[in-house]
Amino acid sequence: MTGAIFPGNVDAATAARLAESTEQALRALGMASGIAHTECKLTADGPRLIEVNGRLGGFIDDTVGRATGFPMLRTALDCALGRLPADFTAPARQRIAFQRFFAPPLDARAIVSMTGVKETKALPGVRRVEVVRRPGQPVDWA
């Protein structure tokens, strides 16, 4: 299982170190504007950069949008077109948003059955349950 939580649950000092590490990486790469997808791993020695890409990360637009109302895709397009105001600041979070992805076991080849979708949709706070494979369809953990 994997997923994303926004905002991350880190203290202010760790958040500042993550921001500093990310800013240093973007400056080193010569990125002065636009949207970047960066991933860091928290270690005992502090944040360690894993990847930097000049794009929106998978499902991040949706997760951040649900938590803040912030239109990341629209903003990325505005950046690319040079239409972002110089005094731009992202809005504060309004709620916590998360996504979970369930990967099949390594030896699975197809979905045999699926239960709990209706019950999960009925849980308080659940906004969407998206099923991308149905019983009988093939799966691949990769």
Side-chain angles (χ1 to χ4, degrees):
M1 178 172 48
T2 186
I5 299 173
F6 186 85
N9 187 19
V10 296
D11 59 55
T14 302
R17 290 176 73 189
L18 287 165
E20 179 183 344
S21 174
T22 300
E23 289 171 10
Q24 287 175 354
L26 295 174
R27 275 194 304 276
L29 293 169
M31 186 166 182
S33 65
I35 296 274
H37 175 83
T38 57
E39 293 184 17
C40 294
K41 181 177 182 114
L42 297 177
T43 72
D45 296 324
R48 294 292 178 251
L49 189 66
I50 295 175
E51 76 175 83
V52 178
N53 289 288
R55 62 169 175 83
L56 282 173
F59 300 100
I60 301 301
D61 171 52
D62 182 57
T63 307
V64 172
R66 285 185 288 119
T68 66
F70 180 65
M72 286 189 73
L73 182 58
R74 173 88 252 157
T75 302
L77 294 170
D78 286 343
C79 286
L81 296 171
R83 298 193 307 213
L84 197 61
D87 62 348
F88 171 80
T89 56
R93 103 177 141 80
Q94 301 163 359
R95 64 189 64 83
I96 295 170
F98 72 95
Q99 292 179 306
R100 291 178 107 178
F101 304 98
F102 295 92
L106 297 178
D107 60 347
R109 298 292 173 252
I111 299 205
V112 175
S113 67
M114 184 180 310
T115 61
V117 174
K118 184 177 176 182
E119 294 83 358
T120 302
K121 288 180 179 180
L123 291 171
V126 171
R127 306 271 176 160
R128 181 173 71 207
V129 174
E130 188 174 343
V131 176
V132 296
R133 296 282 192 272
R134 304 258 178 222
Q137 291 185 306
V139 294
D140 180 356
W141 70 270

